[in-house]
Amino acid sequence: LFRVAREPPGRMGLSYSKMSMYLQCPRRYRLCYLDRVGVRPRGFFSIGSTIHNALELFYKIKPKKTKEPPLEELLNLYDQCWISAGYVSPQEELEYYENGKQWLINYYEKFVKGQYIPAYATEEYFELPIGGEKTHVMIGYIDRIQRNPDGSFEILDYKTDPKVRTQQEVDEELQLTIYYWALKNKGIEVKRLGLIFIRFGEIVYTTRSQNDINVLDAYVAEVADKMWLDGERYMQLKAEYGDGN
């Protein structure tokens, strides 16, 4: 669930999920990233990973003609990618399975029919220096990069959240700023970015600019330095007093 960047001496490996966990729940952050305690599987995570994996494979398909791949192909990929872990009962798993299948059917009808464009890239990995003195490294995987017929690029990120975020929330979404920054560093200027809320068949679009990158750089430098110092302090205490909580 949590990928860890290579961390040379004195350099903090960062990701959006890692920073979010540190800010929202320091204890859970400590368990996951410092103590490296495994995270118990949960149905919510499993259905999210299943949907992501199925759509990743689906958007790699390049039809011989201009027609989109059939719905059956997407549903077959859904079955092949199904993760049967973290559900509290067979009944709960079946409910998640049926719900997820319907989400994809609705998604296909609204966003694929007559609109299909193979992905420019899926699960695009980046690992780039960041922070005031570029002393840290940010890693991530971008769900889908799309190159439109007019040559413009957009980033699309899948969410299986139980609610649709507001326009303001998407405009302020740090994860999308990180993705925009990462592709700009790779020489790709992104015209727009969107969060796709799979449960609801909704896409909320936003844009980013150089000003957002400047804010991100300063923010990451501040948070990463604090994460680094807190981590060093915790590991020293752990070495001195043992593994007790």
Side-chain angles (χ1 to χ4, degrees):
L1 181 60
F2 303 106
R3 301 178 174 105
V4 180
R6 292 187 291 273
E7 294 186 339
R11 198 178 196 190
M12 169 68 75
L14 300 168
S15 68
Y16 170 75
S17 59
K18 185 176 183 179
M19 291 173 57
S20 295
M21 186 179 293
Y22 172 78
L23 294 171
Q24 295 171 11
C25 185
R27 185 175 186 277
R28 190 176 179 211
Y29 166 81
R30 187 196 74 188
L31 290 171
C32 289
Y33 289 103
L34 300 178
D35 294 333
R36 304 295 174 89
V37 175
V39 178
R40 180 176 62 86
R42 293 175 59 190
F44 176 79
F45 294 132
S46 293
I47 188 65
S49 295
T50 296
I51 294 287
H52 276 72
N53 295 341
L55 288 172
E56 175 189 354
L57 295 174
F58 182 72
Y59 277 99
K60 287 181 177 179
I61 299 173
K62 296 182 179 180
K64 294 180 180 179
K65 299 181 180 180
T66 56
K67 188 178 179 181
E68 65 271 357
L71 172 61
E72 291 72 24
E73 190 142 11
L74 176 57
L75 297 182
N76 286 336
L77 290 171
Y78 178 65
D79 286 340
Q80 294 171 28
C81 293
W82 182 255
I83 299 172
S84 185
Y87 302 103
V88 299
S89 68
Q91 180 60 33
E92 184 188 58
E93 180 176 358
L94 179 60
E95 290 176 2
Y96 267 99
Y97 173 84
E98 294 296 340
N99 287 337
K101 184 176 181 179
Q102 189 60 54
W103 299 342
L104 288 180
I105 292 172
N106 296 341
Y107 174 86
Y108 185 93
E109 293 295 323
K110 189 170 183 179
F111 299 117
V112 177
K113 270 191 173 181
Q115 307 171 61
Y116 180 80
I117 301 174
Y120 178 81
T122 60
E123 286 295 300
E124 179 74 4
Y125 177 74
F126 60 87
E127 182 174 329
L128 297 164
I130 196 170
E133 301 297 326
K134 306 301 181 188
T135 53
H136 306 295
V137 59
M138 179 71 73
I139 71 166
Y141 291 80
I142 302 173
D143 286 349
R144 183 166 118 229
I145 303 169
Q146 181 171 292
R147 186 172 188 176
N148 297 313
D150 64 0
S152 65
F153 287 91
E154 60 185 64
I155 289 171
L156 296 162
D157 191 69
Y158 309 120
K159 298 295 182 187
T160 53
D161 296 8
K163 68 175 183 177
V164 178
R165 298 182 199 174
T166 66
Q167 184 65 58
Q168 181 178 349
E169 288 173 328
V170 176
D171 289 342
E172 297 172 354
E173 173 62 49
L174 180 65
Q175 186 176 26
L176 292 179
T177 303
I178 292 171
Y179 291 167
Y180 174 82
W181 161 82
L183 286 193
K184 194 174 182 68
N185 271 272
K186 293 188 175 190
I188 297 177
E189 182 65 37
V190 175
K191 184 177 182 179
R192 67 177 183 175
L193 310 91
L195 293 185
I196 305 177
F197 297 93
I198 299 293
R199 291 179 184 233
F200 306 97
E202 297 290 340
I203 301 179
V204 181
Y205 285 106
T206 187
T207 59
R208 292 294 185 272
S209 67
Q210 181 59 47
N211 183 62
D212 295 300
I213 292 178
N214 296 339
V215 172
L216 170 68
D217 209 44
Y219 174 78
V220 168
E222 178 182 355
V223 174
D225 287 346
K226 191 172 187 302
M227 290 170 69
W228 179 265
L229 291 174
D230 286 353
E232 288 288 288
R233 187 179 302 112
Y234 172 71
M235 296 307 288
Q236 289 172 3
L237 290 172
K238 187 175 179 180
E240 183 175 352
Y241 295 103
D243 293 336
N245 292 323

